[in-house]
């Protein structure tokens, strides 16, 4: 069974920074991708786009971890942040998407 555990969420003032981390554990034979989504209240879950400049996604393949560095945070970044992993559990050729439990990020104005 594949498990994802996130950490690092919390309350921060606008303009501040937070770093989220996600660690995958369990029987994983292949990881195709790891990343982050977020879901704000009343909105659909959306992919976190590191190309916008304020956010940086980095991964450590050896440790099966992915991090999200968020800078210059805005109140509209308030959301539950979920990490995901696309990969195959041990012994399977099929790829599945696994989700973490989510971590709350609240940005106050």
């Amino acid at each position: 069974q594949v498990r994802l555990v996130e950490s690092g969420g919390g309350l921060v003032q606008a303009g501040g920074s937070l770093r989220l981390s996600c660690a995958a554990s369990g029987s994983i034979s292949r990881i195709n991708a790891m990343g982050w989504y977020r879901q704000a209240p009343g909105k659909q879950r959306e992919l976190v786009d590191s190309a916008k400049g304020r956010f940086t996604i980095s991964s450590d393949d050896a440790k099966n971890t992915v991090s999200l560095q968020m800078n210059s945070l805005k109140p509209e970044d308030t959301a539950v942040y979920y990490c995901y992993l696309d990969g195959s559990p041990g012994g399977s050729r099929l790829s599945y998407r696994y989700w973490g439990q989510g971590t709350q990020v609240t940005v106050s104005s």
Side-chain angles (χ1 to χ4, degrees), residues 4-101:
L4 302 179
V5 177
E6 299 124 334
S7 61
L11 174 64
V12 64
Q13 289 188 333
S17 298
L18 275 178
R19 184 177 180 85
L20 308 183
S21 297
C22 174
S25 62
S27 177
I28 308 169
S29 61
R30 185 179 72 248
I31 297 177
N32 298 318
M34 294 184 74
W36 294 89
Y37 276 73
R38 69 182 185 182
Q39 187 166 18
K43 295 187 178 181
Q44 290 188 334
R45 193 173 294 191
E46 63 177 5
L47 181 68
V48 175
D49 184 4
S50 62
K52 292 182 177 179
R54 295 188 295 120
F55 294 176
T56 302
I57 296 174
S58 57
S59 61
D60 185 330
D61 295 341
K63 297 181 178 179
N64 291 345
T65 60
V66 63
S67 298
L68 174 63
Q69 177 67 43
M70 302 183 290
N71 299 324
S72 302
L73 283 162
K74 304 175 181 180
E76 52 263 42
D77 294 318
T78 295
V80 178
Y81 285 71
Y82 299 89
C83 72
Y84 72 91
L85 180 155
D86 290 336
S88 301
S92 174
R93 296 181 181 180
L94 300 177
S95 183
Y96 300 89
R97 173 160 288 185
Y98 300 89
W99 294 96
Q101 80 283 1

